[in-house]
Amino acid sequence: TYAAPGGGGMTPEEAAAMRKQMEEEIRAQLEANASAMADMQMSGEDRTAIAQQQFNEDQLKLLEKEKEKDNTAHITNLNEDNALSGVIHHLIQAGENVVGRRDG
């Protein structure tokens, strides 16, 4: 058996398993560090371009949802406070539609 520093014997299989686990953890940390370094080295223009692309994709998704809402029966909430009206939208799909809790 292998005697680990600090006492406690370990079989060669246990030592190999522990070594493999430690190597995997170190490899994962190295990959995370490399990713973080790549992010830090990215120029401001690159970051702006990525953010703009993400914004455009989000806007496109919102427009598609609005089009679907305009062409599909839907339920929208009303509230005394205008800021809270129209916050919740549920599209009525073909088939069974449940409003509220399913178990209630």
Side-chain angles (χ1 to χ4, degrees):
T1 63
Y2 169 74
M10 194 183 298
T11 66
E13 293 83 18
E14 292 171 333
M18 180 181 282
R19 187 178 314 111
K20 182 179 179 185
Q21 179 183 0
M22 291 173 66
E23 288 173 355
E24 289 173 356
E25 290 172 359
I26 291 170
R27 193 170 290 115
Q29 185 62 48
L30 287 172
E31 290 175 9
N33 290 347
S35 176
M37 287 295 294
D39 287 345
M40 288 191 307
Q41 292 174 349
M42 190 182 309
S43 73
E45 291 176 2
D46 291 341
R47 290 181 189 175
T48 301
I50 290 171
Q52 184 66 43
Q53 180 182 3
Q54 183 64 44
F55 176 79
N56 290 342
E57 290 171 4
D58 292 345
Q59 288 299 106
L60 185 60
K61 288 178 186 176
L62 284 174
L63 286 173
E64 288 173 1
K65 281 187 176 184
E66 285 296 317
K67 279 184 182 178
E68 185 177 12
K69 187 175 74 172
D70 289 343
N71 298 324
T72 306
H74 61 280
I75 299 172
T76 301
N77 74 307
L78 294 175
N79 193 299
E80 293 175 351
D81 184 350
N82 287 335
L84 298 176
S85 288
V87 174
I88 301 171
H89 304 279
H90 290 287
L91 299 177
I92 307 297
Q93 302 294 336
E96 182 178 331
N97 289 273
V98 177
V99 178
R101 292 183 3 183
R102 290 187 185 274
D103 61 349

